[in-house]
Amino acid sequence: EVDLKALARVLEKDAMLAARVLKVARSAAFAGREDIVSLSAAVTRLGLRNLKEIHRAAEDWGREEVQDGAALA
């Protein structure tokens, strides 16, 4: 079992990924009755499956950025 609060603490160390998680959790697709005011609340709202998808997308985006940078060098 995953401790979502512990996961939120880990995400806090990666500002870009944390910002993406907050953005998705605050989107219309995940709208709830209460506003998301913390990373912990965002992690809870999204759940592990969605967080994995966000992480995969961020990894893909990072690889594309490295490839683009290498092309410019």
Side-chain angles (χ1 to χ4, degrees), residues 7-22:
L7 181 56
R9 287 191 298 272
V10 170
L11 286 172
E12 288 174 350
K13 296 177 182 178
D14 185 333
M16 186 180 303
L17 189 54
R20 285 176 181 253
V21 168
L22 286 168

Side-chain angles (χ1 to χ4, degrees), residues 3-41:
D3 179 355
L4 294 179
K5 289 186 180 190
L7 181 56
R9 287 191 298 272
V10 170
L11 286 172
E12 288 174 350
K13 296 177 182 178
D14 185 333
M16 186 180 303
L17 189 54
R20 285 176 181 253
V21 168
L22 286 168
K23 183 176 181 177
V24 172
R26 291 174 175 157
S27 71
F30 292 96
R33 291 183 184 181
E34 297 181 23
D35 291 337
I36 296 294
V37 296
S38 70
L39 192 52
S40 181

